[in-house]
Amino acid sequence: MSAPPPPRTAPPRYPLPDLNTLPDDIKAKVLEVQEKAGFVPNVFLALARRPAEWRAFFAYHDALMLREESSLSKGDREMIVTTTSAANRCLYCVIAHGALLRIYEKKPLVADQVAVNYRKADITPRQRAMLDFAMKVCERSNEVEEADFAALQAHGFNDEDIWDIAAITAFFGLSNRIASFSGMLPNPEFYLMGRVPKQKSGA
């Protein structure tokens, strides 16, 4: 008895645009990312179907994630994204930013830990306080009160740092929802990034 034919899959509702059809500025940025990462993360193409929104999205992304006047490390920022994206059940952002988190923190287990239960993860008390606040902004921002600021200040965060935590959480709440409704899938490359040490040349 022959096996049944595989199910026919419908074409994606929002197919990724061809790189060569993009405006020059966006194409140049995508090629820059490809050169650095070795592949093009799907978010860069998925959002490029609307160039004005792509520019606005990545301008705000870079303003938050590359901001130098902050005590938040790159690992801290990716930890916020991974933890709150897991709460929002965003597959793309958990996998993609979890990969960056593993690389920046140099801990192959940390992204899985914070995505499941950050309270039991291998993180510092300062980072746990940061994530307590991020999760409150993520799930119950209307309940934020002065005591929440005091708890963060006890760990050395100032008011601008606290804005960063909240803004990153809020921005990626937007990103999570766009990625989820549009069916954006993480690139396979993200799954292994930061999990095993790179082989040394000549080994």
Side-chain angles (χ1 to χ4, degrees), residues 84-106:
T84 59
S85 295
N88 290 328
R89 301 183 182 183
C90 177
L91 176 65
Y92 185 92
C93 292
V94 170
I95 300 302
H97 291 275
L100 296 173
L101 171 58
R102 289 190 296 271
I103 291 169
Y104 290 140
E105 288 291 294
K106 297 179 173 58

Side-chain angles (χ1 to χ4, degrees), residues 23-35:
D24 289 344
D25 62 317
I26 295 178
K27 180 179 177 180
K29 180 63 177 178
V30 171
L31 290 174
E32 179 184 328
V33 171
Q34 183 181 40
E35 175 69 21

Side-chain angles (χ1 to χ4, degrees), residues 8 81 84 89 131 147 171 191 194:
R8 299 178 69 180
V81 179
T84 59
R89 301 183 182 183
L131 295 181
F171 175 78
Y191 286 89

Side-chain angles (χ1 to χ4, degrees), residues 125-202:
R126 177 182 180 274
Q127 288 171 327
R128 178 171 173 173
M130 174 186 77
L131 295 181
D132 282 340
F133 182 71
M135 285 297 293
K136 189 166 187 178
V137 172
C138 177
E139 299 177 332
R140 310 184 316 281
S141 60
N142 60 302
E143 296 179 13
V144 171
E145 56 189 359
E146 188 59 36
D148 297 309
F149 286 81
L152 288 169
Q153 289 164 347
H155 287 275
F157 293 104
N158 62 34
D159 281 355
E160 297 306 314
D161 298 329
I162 296 170
W163 182 290
D164 287 338
I165 297 168
I168 290 168
T169 300
F171 175 78
F172 279 94
L174 162 72
S175 181
N176 296 160
R177 286 157 177 80
I178 293 176
S180 293
F181 98 83
S182 67
M184 193 186 305
L185 295 177
N187 304 66
E189 291 89 345
F190 283 126
Y191 286 89
L192 295 181
M193 287 170 58
R195 291 194 185 277
V196 293
K198 286 186 176 181
Q199 292 294 327
K200 294 182 180 179
S201 59

